[in-house]
């Protein structure tokens, strides 16, 4: 989604800004631009890829102070004019903005009445115009920005440069912004990954923070003008640059990294002798775990599917009620919050606005939220203050793969830890732990010989739609498989719990309709088998993901993809992989940009 990069120092800003934008590209965007201060403010902006922008900057733009942006369109189409930065009517201020100005219509109207002509269709442009009007009254830049933000409703990660002041002013409210401290230079970004090549010393701004950046460094204050308590964080090595290596795309690289990522996720967390798990970041004693009345899991997209697996694992192992919720709905449904309950916010990026808002809502109502997060020190991780890092390592492809597996695995670990305090024996715990430790090796074994993926791809790419079915823990896997194929191959997909198929989607089946069925050899196998028969009776083509050696089931398939045998609850960690491969190969065959699918963003920072 939208990304911000900024530079204040002694070096030429332009190449640093363009490189910063390249590091933000993985997040998804549709236009980009830079503003560099020299005699006045020079702006270059362009729809399309950063490559197009850099081709456009033919003459060297001199200047050591600048801001840059990748835009993911919300208000106004993705064209050159709506791209950021936006320049004020008098040419004295340029801004880049992430977030949404909710009262922008009213503000635009007021500006028009004052004779200010707006150039773009965006909500963001009003910020530049308002700041310019404040500066014209004689306010200093920091005062001008602070004043105008008091009139704005919405969210912002804002950066402004000025033609008449050697300063950058930044502000955060609900949209991440990080300041990186270099030697005699300062960097700004909405994404800490983009700062790693310059510095590891960073300051994550809090909501309500503003910062004044100049030749002396920077000063972070609150909207009230008081000093902010924001402190330095030292970024870990794992946030560093991620290379493709031998792989053509990040998605396939990340699919193959799943085994190692899973090892990292489990490492040091299991206690074999006691048959339990220790997730230190939970900061919960066994007695506290025993007292928990229910668990609610909150996430979006792939993370929601991991939550649905977590729901089943927690109910099965810990015998405590658990429910997975769509974060964007949860936030606004005025949910009843029990302060004794556990709420788990699940997110790869840790920046998803819907999930972050739900976390804040729960906390406002007196509830406690634990983060199940990949990106260390991300907004959700910091907002929760406690939880579990899933340790997938950086995930660059927009389509989430290795994070899904580690989110599901972390939730299963949580279920084992909780279950041991309440319901099952050390022996059962040891069995689960042993089985979990065998999964990474089984993933490697499967990936070495993934079966007839190409045949499955041929069956889905020409289809009007693809139906994914599964029962129990395989129902969320079906949803995840459908989401993956839809988001990168742009094929309409539907996912249903297999038993629900006869209540509606069966109407779509005709001769040759592809149906992907996830059917491990678990207690629900024969139920799923009946649903396979129902599909076959209507001429559907069955692409079956099943357990190795389960010939009884394999015989029913048109295309049969076998994964290694595993304990039922752990089967999603294996059965999901063929669905990822089908999506990847289908998108490739259709000629799509696998890592950066259209319209999507890696980190969705608007509600
Ligand atoms: O960073 P998050 O895990 O919070 O992101 C949630 C969704 O936006 C994300 O999973 C999305 O659905 C992916 N593109 C799926 O591959």
């Amino acid at each position: 989604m939208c990304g911000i990069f900024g530079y204040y120092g002694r070096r030429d800003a332009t190449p640093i800004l363009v490189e910063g934008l390249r590091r933000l590209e993985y997040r998804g965007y549709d236009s980009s631009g830079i503003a560099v201060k020299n005699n006045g403010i020079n702006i270059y902006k362009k729809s399309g890829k950063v490559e197009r922008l850099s081709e456009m900057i033919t003459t060297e733009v001199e200047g050591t102070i600048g801001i840059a942006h990748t835009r993911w369109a919300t208000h106004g189409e993705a064209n050159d004019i709506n791209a950021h930065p936006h320049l004020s009517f008098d040419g004295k201020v340029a801004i880049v903005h992430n977030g949404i100005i909710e009262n922008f219509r009213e503000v635009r109207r007021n500006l028009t009445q004052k004779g200010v002509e707006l150039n773009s269709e965006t909500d963001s442009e009003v910020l530049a115009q308002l700041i310019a009007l404040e500066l014209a009254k004689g306010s200093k830049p920091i005062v001008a920005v602070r004043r105008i933000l008091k009139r704005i409703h919405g969210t912002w990660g804002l950066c402004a440069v000025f033609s008449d002041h050697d300063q950058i002013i930044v502000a955060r409210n609900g949209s991440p912004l990080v300041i990186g401290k270099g030697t005699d230079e300062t960097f700004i970004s909405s994404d800490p990954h983009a700062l790693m090549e310059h510095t590891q010393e960073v300051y994550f701004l809090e909501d309500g923070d503003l910062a004044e950046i100049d030749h002396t460094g920077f000063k972070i204050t609150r909207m009230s003008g008081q000093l902010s308590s924001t402190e330095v964080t030292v970024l870990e090595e794992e946030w560093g640059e991620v290379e493709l290596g031998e792989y053509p795309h990040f998605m396939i690289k990340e699919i193959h990294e799943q085994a190692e990522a899973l090892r990292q996720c489990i490492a040091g967390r299991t206690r074999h002798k006691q048959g339990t798990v220790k997730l230190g970041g939970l900061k919960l004693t066994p007695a506290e775990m025993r007292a928990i009345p229910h668990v609610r899991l909150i996430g979006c997209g792939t993370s929601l599917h991991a939550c649905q697996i977590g729901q089943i694992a927690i109910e099965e192992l810990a015998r405590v009620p658990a429910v997975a919720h769509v974060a964007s709905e949860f936030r606004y449904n005025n949910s009843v919050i029990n302060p004794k309950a556990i709420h788990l916010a699940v997110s790869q990026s840790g920046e998803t606005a819907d999930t972050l808002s739900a976390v804040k809502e729960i906390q406002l109502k007196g509830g406690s939220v634990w983060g199940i997060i990949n990106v260390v020190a991300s907004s959700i991780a910091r907002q929760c203050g406690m939880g579990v890092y899933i340790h997938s390592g950086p995930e660059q492809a927009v389509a989430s793969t290795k994070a899904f597996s580690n989110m599901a695995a972390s939730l299963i670990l949580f279920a084992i830890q909780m279950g041991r305090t309440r319901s099952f024996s050390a022996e059962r715990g040891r069995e689960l732990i042993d089985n979990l430790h065998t999964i990474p090796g089984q993933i490697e074994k499967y990936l070495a010989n993934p079966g007839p993926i190409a045949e499955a791809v041929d069956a889905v790419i020409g289809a009007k739609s693809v139906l994914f079915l599964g029962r129990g823990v395989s129902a969320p896997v079906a949803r995840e498989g459908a989401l993956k194929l839809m988001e990168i191959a742009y094929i309409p997909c539907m996912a249903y719990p297999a038993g629900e198929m006869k209540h509606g989607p069966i109407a779509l089946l005709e001769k040759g309709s592809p149906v992907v069925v996830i059917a491990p050899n678990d207690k629900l196998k024969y139920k799923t088998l009946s649903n396979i028969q129902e599909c076959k009776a209507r001429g559907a083509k069955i692409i079956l993901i099943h357990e190795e050696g389960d010939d009884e089931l394999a015989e029913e398939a048109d295309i049969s993809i076998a994964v290694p045998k595993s304990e039922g609850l752990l089967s999603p960690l294996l059965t999901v992989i063929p669905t990822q491969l089908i999506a990847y190969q289908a998108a490739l065959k259709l000629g799509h940009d696998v890592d950066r699918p259209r319209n999507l963003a890696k980190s969705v920072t608007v509600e």
Side-chain angles (χ1 to χ4, degrees):
M1 200 150 264
C2 298
I4 288 177
F5 198 85
Y7 176 75
Y8 192 114
R10 296 178 177 178
R11 291 187 280 158
D12 236 348
T14 305
I16 298 171
L17 294 173
V18 172
E19 185 51 32
L21 291 182
R22 287 213 172 92
R23 284 169 196 273
L24 295 171
E25 281 192 293
Y26 81 97
R27 297 163 62 93
Y29 68 103
D30 38 51
S31 60
S32 64
I34 63 167
V36 176
K37 176 188 182 291
N38 47 21
N39 303 320
I41 301 172
N42 268 287
I43 293 188
Y44 289 86
K45 49 189 194 172
K46 195 89 198 134
S47 63
K49 300 284 178 201
V50 171
E51 194 55 43
R52 287 186 72 196
L53 174 75
S54 78
E55 280 162 17
M56 180 190 176
I57 311 172
T58 43
T59 51
E60 189 65 14
V61 191
E62 282 179 13
T64 60
I65 304 170
I67 56 177
H69 193 257
T70 49
R71 174 175 186 250
W72 185 83
T74 57
H75 296 62
E77 68 177 81
N79 59 27
D80 295 354
I81 293 172
N82 290 335
H84 298 213
H86 293 290
L87 190 64
S88 62
F89 62 91
D90 56 3
K92 296 205 179 236
V93 187
I95 63 99
V96 294
H97 165 240
N98 287 355
I100 288 180
I101 310 296
E102 287 166 6
N103 59 337
F104 85 100
R105 282 185 196 81
E106 176 199 327
V107 180
R108 276 180 85 100
R109 229 182 355 260
N110 288 341
L111 284 166
T112 315
Q113 278 161 9
K114 286 184 181 146
V116 176
E117 202 177 306
L118 291 137
N119 294 314
S120 73
E121 303 161 288
T122 66
D123 55 337
S124 306
E125 186 193 341
V126 299
L127 296 170
Q129 311 298 7
L130 287 173
I131 297 170
L133 287 176
E134 254 332 295
L135 287 177
K137 291 182 199 163
S139 300
K140 290 198 303 182
I142 183 75
V143 175
V145 174
R146 195 174 275 128
R147 280 205 182 130
I148 71 110
L149 288 179
K150 288 187 178 150
R151 309 208 290 267
I152 296 297
H153 304 154
T155 53
W156 55 83
L158 170 68
C159 267
V161 284
F162 310 89
S163 64
D164 301 344
H165 304 267
D166 283 351
Q167 279 196 335
I168 299 179
I169 303 291
V170 303
R172 172 192 164 135
N173 183 48
S175 191
L177 218 47
V178 193
I179 296 180
K181 188 174 182 317
T183 312
D184 295 331
E185 52 189 3
T186 303
F187 303 87
I188 305 141
S189 182
S190 53
D191 183 335
H193 287 103
L195 296 177
M196 265 309 269
E197 67 152 339
H198 301 292
T199 178
Q200 283 174 261
E201 219 175 299
V202 302
Y203 292 75
F204 289 93
L205 297 193
E206 300 294 338
D207 285 348
D209 276 351
L210 293 99
E212 239 171 315
I213 299 161
D214 61 22
H215 67 283
T216 62
F218 54 89
K219 183 173 154 196
I220 308 174
T221 51
R222 304 289 298 156
M223 283 293 271
S224 61
Q226 286 176 324
L227 272 186
S228 161
S229 56
T230 299
E231 286 177 0
V232 68
T233 301
V234 178
L235 294 177
E236 305 281 331
E237 270 309 314
E238 68 174 89
W239 294 51
E241 180 155 14
V242 188
E243 301 291 349
L244 272 173
E246 69 199 80
Y247 293 97
H249 301 100
F250 281 110
M251 185 177 174
I252 191 70
K253 176 174 187 260
E254 288 158 6
I255 290 173
H256 280 265
E257 281 171 352
Q258 279 176 113
E260 195 44 41
L262 189 53
R263 286 191 186 100
Q264 294 297 327
C265 176
I266 308 168
R269 287 173 160 170
T270 55
R271 303 283 178 272
H272 193 265
K273 193 164 162 219
Q274 298 95 330
T276 191
V277 161
K278 175 87 181 146
L279 295 168
L282 292 178
K283 298 180 189 143
L284 284 168
T285 64
E288 284 167 334
M289 282 210 134
R290 267 196 304 278
I292 290 162
H294 64 252
V295 181
R296 288 171 126 171
L297 306 102
I298 296 129
C300 308
T302 288
S303 304
L304 175 66
H305 301 148
C307 289
Q308 290 161 351
I309 291 171
Q311 167 186 326
I312 295 171
I314 292 164
E315 293 214 328
E316 172 80 28
L317 298 176
R319 307 302 302 143
V320 71
V323 184
H325 295 270
V326 174
S328 55
E329 290 294 308
F330 188 86
R331 161 79 171 82
Y332 293 105
N333 281 349
N334 200 13
S335 302
V336 178
I337 300 301
N338 182 340
K340 292 190 180 130
I342 276 219
H343 302 89
L344 301 175
V346 181
S347 173
Q348 187 286 128
S349 63
E351 301 296 348
T352 302
D354 290 323
T355 311
L356 182 58
S357 299
V359 170
K360 289 180 180 167
E361 178 69 11
I362 295 164
Q363 291 173 335
L364 198 71
K365 289 178 172 166
S368 303
V369 195
W370 283 255
I372 308 287
I373 309 286
N374 192 33
V375 178
V376 176
S378 52
S379 298
I380 299 174
R382 285 179 297 115
Q383 183 70 32
C384 293
M386 49 200 178
V388 177
Y389 282 120
I390 66 167
H391 297 311
S392 289
E395 195 181 63
Q396 298 276 312
V398 165
S400 185
T401 53
K402 60 177 180 170
F404 170 79
S405 301
N406 277 20
M407 289 189 276
S410 300
L411 291 170
I412 291 168
L413 287 172
F414 173 85
I416 298 174
Q417 181 171 343
M418 195 174 187
R420 274 292 286 131
T421 69
R422 310 168 66 106
S423 71
F424 61 81
S425 67
E427 196 185 346
R428 173 72 178 127
R430 278 193 286 274
E431 189 184 21
L432 280 161
I433 289 169
D434 287 344
N435 290 344
L436 190 55
H437 280 287
T438 62
I439 302 276
Q442 291 180 313
I443 294 175
E444 282 161 346
K445 180 178 169 220
Y446 168 70
L447 282 170
N449 184 14
I453 299 295
E455 263 184 71
V457 168
D458 287 340
V460 298
I461 55 172
K464 278 193 272 186
S465 67
V466 184
L467 180 61
F468 284 73
L469 300 175
R471 281 176 181 257
V473 279
S474 299
V477 176
R479 292 187 196 105
E480 177 58 10
L483 171 66
K484 214 92 306 175
L485 185 59
M486 188 163 52
E487 72 176 327
I488 61 168
Y490 316 145
I491 297 171
C493 295
M494 265 188 311
Y496 266 80
E500 189 66 10
M501 189 245 333
K502 57 189 175 293
H503 299 289
I506 198 166
L508 293 181
L509 296 183
E510 53 193 29
K511 196 166 167 37
S513 302
V515 179
V516 180
V517 185
I518 293 100
N521 193 358
D522 60 12
K523 59 184 181 193
L524 297 167
K525 168 179 143 175
Y526 289 103
K527 297 281 174 204
T528 310
L529 186 55
S530 305
N531 306 128
I532 293 175
Q533 301 295 358
E534 290 156 10
C535 295
K536 285 177 67 164
R538 281 142 190 102
K541 187 167 201 172
I542 306 294
I543 302 163
L544 183 68
I545 297 169
H546 64 93
E547 205 171 274
E548 239 167 42
D550 189 351
D551 298 335
E552 181 185 22
L553 211 56
E555 271 171 21
E556 301 297 333
D558 294 287
I559 301 164
S560 117
I561 302 171
V563 297
K565 183 176 172 53
S566 63
E567 151 117 28
L569 266 181
L570 306 181
S571 64
L573 303 173
L574 290 159
T575 53
V576 76
I577 298 177
T579 70
Q580 297 168 345
L581 292 174
I582 293 171
Y584 173 74
Q585 298 288 358
L588 261 192
K589 198 156 187 176
L590 291 167
H592 299 319
D593 186 341
V594 179
D595 285 339
R596 294 183 202 135
R598 72 180 178 208
N599 302 337
L600 283 166
K602 182 66 184 160
S603 170
V604 184
T605 50
V606 292
E607 278 190 52

PDB file of all heavy atoms in Angstrom, residues 463-483:
ATOM      1  N   ALA A 463     -11.084 -22.043 -16.556  1.00  0.00           N
ATOM      2  CA  ALA A 463     -12.406 -22.242 -15.935  1.00  0.00           C
ATOM      3  C   ALA A 463     -13.118 -20.921 -15.642  1.00  0.00           C
ATOM      4  O   ALA A 463     -12.474 -19.909 -15.393  1.00  0.00           O
ATOM      5  CB  ALA A 463     -12.236 -23.028 -14.642  1.00  0.00           C
ATOM      6  N   LYS A 464     -14.483 -20.992 -15.679  1.00  0.00           N
ATOM      7  CA  LYS A 464     -15.282 -19.809 -15.320  1.00  0.00           C
ATOM      8  C   LYS A 464     -15.068 -19.494 -13.842  1.00  0.00           C
ATOM      9  O   LYS A 464     -15.033 -18.354 -13.428  1.00  0.00           O
ATOM     10  CB  LYS A 464     -16.772 -20.097 -15.554  1.00  0.00           C
ATOM     11  CG  LYS A 464     -17.209 -19.930 -16.997  1.00  0.00           C
ATOM     12  CD  LYS A 464     -18.718 -19.923 -17.091  1.00  0.00           C
ATOM     13  CE  LYS A 464     -19.220 -21.357 -17.235  1.00  0.00           C
ATOM     14  NZ  LYS A 464     -20.642 -21.507 -17.483  1.00  0.00           N
ATOM     15  N   SER A 465     -15.005 -20.552 -13.044  1.00  0.00           N
ATOM     16  CA  SER A 465     -14.743 -20.386 -11.612  1.00  0.00           C
ATOM     17  C   SER A 465     -14.204 -21.706 -11.073  1.00  0.00           C
ATOM     18  O   SER A 465     -14.363 -22.752 -11.712  1.00  0.00           O
ATOM     19  CB  SER A 465     -16.011 -19.999 -10.869  1.00  0.00           C
ATOM     20  OG  SER A 465     -16.920 -21.070 -10.899  1.00  0.00           O
ATOM     21  N   VAL A 466     -13.578 -21.626  -9.923  1.00  0.00           N
ATOM     22  CA  VAL A 466     -13.034 -22.834  -9.289  1.00  0.00           C
ATOM     23  C   VAL A 466     -13.604 -22.926  -7.874  1.00  0.00           C
ATOM     24  O   VAL A 466     -13.629 -21.928  -7.140  1.00  0.00           O
ATOM     25  CB  VAL A 466     -11.488 -22.784  -9.229  1.00  0.00           C
ATOM     26  CG1 VAL A 466     -10.930 -24.083  -8.659  1.00  0.00           C
ATOM     27  CG2 VAL A 466     -10.890 -22.511 -10.612  1.00  0.00           C
ATOM     28  N   LEU A 467     -14.073 -24.114  -7.531  1.00  0.00           N
ATOM     29  CA  LEU A 467     -14.630 -24.339  -6.203  1.00  0.00           C
ATOM     30  C   LEU A 467     -13.606 -25.094  -5.358  1.00  0.00           C
ATOM     31  O   LEU A 467     -13.045 -26.094  -5.805  1.00  0.00           O
ATOM     32  CB  LEU A 467     -15.933 -25.142  -6.333  1.00  0.00           C
ATOM     33  CG  LEU A 467     -16.679 -25.493  -5.052  1.00  0.00           C
ATOM     34  CD1 LEU A 467     -17.116 -24.236  -4.297  1.00  0.00           C
ATOM     35  CD2 LEU A 467     -17.920 -26.342  -5.381  1.00  0.00           C
ATOM     36  N   PHE A 468     -13.355 -24.603  -4.148  1.00  0.00           N
ATOM     37  CA  PHE A 468     -12.446 -25.275  -3.210  1.00  0.00           C
ATOM     38  C   PHE A 468     -13.276 -25.802  -2.044  1.00  0.00           C
ATOM     39  O   PHE A 468     -14.085 -25.064  -1.474  1.00  0.00           O
ATOM     40  CB  PHE A 468     -11.404 -24.287  -2.657  1.00  0.00           C
ATOM     41  CG  PHE A 468     -10.297 -23.942  -3.620  1.00  0.00           C
ATOM     42  CD1 PHE A 468     -10.533 -23.111  -4.710  1.00  0.00           C
ATOM     43  CD2 PHE A 468      -9.007 -24.417  -3.418  1.00  0.00           C
ATOM     44  CE1 PHE A 468      -9.510 -22.782  -5.590  1.00  0.00           C
ATOM     45  CE2 PHE A 468      -7.977 -24.092  -4.283  1.00  0.00           C
ATOM     46  CZ  PHE A 468      -8.227 -23.273  -5.376  1.00  0.00           C
ATOM     47  N   LEU A 469     -13.068 -27.069  -1.676  1.00  0.00           N
ATOM     48  CA  LEU A 469     -13.834 -27.683  -0.592  1.00  0.00           C
ATOM     49  C   LEU A 469     -12.914 -28.343   0.426  1.00  0.00           C
ATOM     50  O   LEU A 469     -11.858 -28.876   0.075  1.00  0.00           O
ATOM     51  CB  LEU A 469     -14.770 -28.758  -1.150  1.00  0.00           C
ATOM     52  CG  LEU A 469     -15.828 -28.322  -2.175  1.00  0.00           C
ATOM     53  CD1 LEU A 469     -16.563 -29.546  -2.703  1.00  0.00           C
ATOM     54  CD2 LEU A 469     -16.805 -27.327  -1.571  1.00  0.00           C
ATOM     55  N   GLY A 470     -13.349 -28.335   1.674  1.00  0.00           N
ATOM     56  CA  GLY A 470     -12.635 -29.054   2.737  1.00  0.00           C
ATOM     57  C   GLY A 470     -13.508 -29.042   3.978  1.00  0.00           C
ATOM     58  O   GLY A 470     -14.416 -28.215   4.091  1.00  0.00           O
ATOM     59  N   ARG A 471     -13.245 -29.975   4.882  1.00  0.00           N
ATOM     60  CA  ARG A 471     -13.989 -30.012   6.150  1.00  0.00           C
ATOM     61  C   ARG A 471     -13.025 -29.865   7.321  1.00  0.00           C
ATOM     62  O   ARG A 471     -11.840 -30.191   7.194  1.00  0.00           O
ATOM     63  CB  ARG A 471     -14.705 -31.352   6.305  1.00  0.00           C
ATOM     64  CG  ARG A 471     -15.986 -31.472   5.515  1.00  0.00           C
ATOM     65  CD  ARG A 471     -16.539 -32.869   5.662  1.00  0.00           C
ATOM     66  NE  ARG A 471     -17.761 -33.015   4.888  1.00  0.00           N
ATOM     67  CZ  ARG A 471     -18.985 -33.012   5.418  1.00  0.00           C
ATOM     68  NH1 ARG A 471     -19.162 -32.891   6.715  1.00  0.00           N
ATOM     69  NH2 ARG A 471     -20.034 -33.154   4.636  1.00  0.00           N
ATOM     70  N   GLY A 472     -13.535 -29.413   8.467  1.00  0.00           N
ATOM     71  CA  GLY A 472     -12.692 -29.276   9.657  1.00  0.00           C
ATOM     72  C   GLY A 472     -11.538 -28.330   9.385  1.00  0.00           C
ATOM     73  O   GLY A 472     -11.736 -27.261   8.794  1.00  0.00           O
ATOM     74  N   VAL A 473     -10.319 -28.734   9.770  1.00  0.00           N
ATOM     75  CA  VAL A 473      -9.168 -27.842   9.536  1.00  0.00           C
ATOM     76  C   VAL A 473      -8.895 -27.645   8.052  1.00  0.00           C
ATOM     77  O   VAL A 473      -8.170 -26.723   7.669  1.00  0.00           O
ATOM     78  CB  VAL A 473      -7.855 -28.330  10.206  1.00  0.00           C
ATOM     79  CG1 VAL A 473      -7.797 -27.983  11.665  1.00  0.00           C
ATOM     80  CG2 VAL A 473      -7.583 -29.782   9.934  1.00  0.00           C
ATOM     81  N   SER A 474      -9.453 -28.497   7.221  1.00  0.00           N
ATOM     82  CA  SER A 474      -9.232 -28.337   5.770  1.00  0.00           C
ATOM     83  C   SER A 474     -10.169 -27.282   5.163  1.00  0.00           C
ATOM     84  O   SER A 474      -9.944 -26.856   4.024  1.00  0.00           O
ATOM     85  CB  SER A 474      -9.429 -29.674   5.058  1.00  0.00           C
ATOM     86  OG  SER A 474      -8.502 -30.603   5.551  1.00  0.00           O
ATOM     87  N   ALA A 475     -11.203 -26.858   5.897  1.00  0.00           N
ATOM     88  CA  ALA A 475     -12.075 -25.792   5.365  1.00  0.00           C
ATOM     89  C   ALA A 475     -11.306 -24.473   5.257  1.00  0.00           C
ATOM     90  O   ALA A 475     -11.341 -23.817   4.196  1.00  0.00           O
ATOM     91  CB  ALA A 475     -13.335 -25.655   6.219  1.00  0.00           C
ATOM     92  N   PRO A 476     -10.566 -24.058   6.303  1.00  0.00           N
ATOM     93  CA  PRO A 476      -9.740 -22.846   6.127  1.00  0.00           C
ATOM     94  C   PRO A 476      -8.657 -23.022   5.060  1.00  0.00           C
ATOM     95  O   PRO A 476      -8.296 -22.045   4.395  1.00  0.00           O
ATOM     96  CB  PRO A 476      -9.102 -22.627   7.501  1.00  0.00           C
ATOM     97  CG  PRO A 476      -9.857 -23.459   8.466  1.00  0.00           C
ATOM     98  CD  PRO A 476     -10.589 -24.513   7.705  1.00  0.00           C
ATOM     99  N   VAL A 477      -8.149 -24.241   4.894  1.00  0.00           N
ATOM    100  CA  VAL A 477      -7.143 -24.459   3.835  1.00  0.00           C
ATOM    101  C   VAL A 477      -7.804 -24.230   2.472  1.00  0.00           C
ATOM    102  O   VAL A 477      -7.216 -23.626   1.570  1.00  0.00           O
ATOM    103  CB  VAL A 477      -6.526 -25.875   3.916  1.00  0.00           C
ATOM    104  CG1 VAL A 477      -5.559 -26.118   2.765  1.00  0.00           C
ATOM    105  CG2 VAL A 477      -5.820 -26.076   5.248  1.00  0.00           C
ATOM    106  N   ALA A 478      -9.048 -24.701   2.330  1.00  0.00           N
ATOM    107  CA  ALA A 478      -9.778 -24.481   1.072  1.00  0.00           C
ATOM    108  C   ALA A 478      -9.937 -22.975   0.828  1.00  0.00           C
ATOM    109  O   ALA A 478      -9.710 -22.483  -0.288  1.00  0.00           O
ATOM    110  CB  ALA A 478     -11.142 -25.161   1.144  1.00  0.00           C
ATOM    111  N   ARG A 479     -10.290 -22.241   1.884  1.00  0.00           N
ATOM    112  CA  ARG A 479     -10.447 -20.773   1.726  1.00  0.00           C
ATOM    113  C   ARG A 479      -9.121 -20.139   1.338  1.00  0.00           C
ATOM    114  O   ARG A 479      -9.071 -19.245   0.494  1.00  0.00           O
ATOM    115  CB  ARG A 479     -10.951 -20.151   3.036  1.00  0.00           C
ATOM    116  CG  ARG A 479     -12.352 -20.544   3.369  1.00  0.00           C
ATOM    117  CD  ARG A 479     -12.893 -19.783   4.581  1.00  0.00           C
ATOM    118  NE  ARG A 479     -14.059 -20.487   5.050  1.00  0.00           N
ATOM    119  CZ  ARG A 479     -14.097 -21.255   6.149  1.00  0.00           C
ATOM    120  NH1 ARG A 479     -13.043 -21.353   6.922  1.00  0.00           N
ATOM    121  NH2 ARG A 479     -15.195 -21.888   6.480  1.00  0.00           N
ATOM    122  N   GLU A 480      -8.067 -20.597   1.961  1.00  0.00           N
ATOM    123  CA  GLU A 480      -6.749 -20.032   1.672  1.00  0.00           C
ATOM    124  C   GLU A 480      -6.332 -20.351   0.227  1.00  0.00           C
ATOM    125  O   GLU A 480      -5.797 -19.490  -0.479  1.00  0.00           O
ATOM    126  CB  GLU A 480      -5.731 -20.576   2.691  1.00  0.00           C
ATOM    127  CG  GLU A 480      -4.288 -20.145   2.491  1.00  0.00           C
ATOM    128  CD  GLU A 480      -4.074 -18.647   2.502  1.00  0.00           C
ATOM    129  OE1 GLU A 480      -4.996 -17.886   2.839  1.00  0.00           O
ATOM    130  OE2 GLU A 480      -2.975 -18.224   2.126  1.00  0.00           O
ATOM    131  N   GLY A 481      -6.607 -21.584  -0.214  1.00  0.00           N
ATOM    132  CA  GLY A 481      -6.269 -21.962  -1.593  1.00  0.00           C
ATOM    133  C   GLY A 481      -7.036 -21.105  -2.586  1.00  0.00           C
ATOM    134  O   GLY A 481      -6.486 -20.647  -3.602  1.00  0.00           O
ATOM    135  N   ALA A 482      -8.313 -20.854  -2.293  1.00  0.00           N
ATOM    136  CA  ALA A 482      -9.149 -20.050  -3.189  1.00  0.00           C
ATOM    137  C   ALA A 482      -8.651 -18.605  -3.229  1.00  0.00           C
ATOM    138  O   ALA A 482      -8.551 -17.990  -4.300  1.00  0.00           O
ATOM    139  CB  ALA A 482     -10.600 -20.089  -2.715  1.00  0.00           C
ATOM    140  N   LEU A 483      -8.324 -18.067  -2.060  1.00  0.00           N
ATOM    141  CA  LEU A 483      -7.828 -16.681  -1.998  1.00  0.00           C
ATOM    142  C   LEU A 483      -6.549 -16.548  -2.823  1.00  0.00           C
ATOM    143  O   LEU A 483      -6.378 -15.595  -3.592  1.00  0.00           O
ATOM    144  CB  LEU A 483      -7.567 -16.291  -0.535  1.00  0.00           C
ATOM    145  CG  LEU A 483      -6.846 -14.957  -0.300  1.00  0.00           C
ATOM    146  CD1 LEU A 483      -7.696 -13.783  -0.755  1.00  0.00           C
ATOM    147  CD2 LEU A 483      -6.496 -14.782   1.165  1.00  0.00           C
TER     148      LEU A 483
END
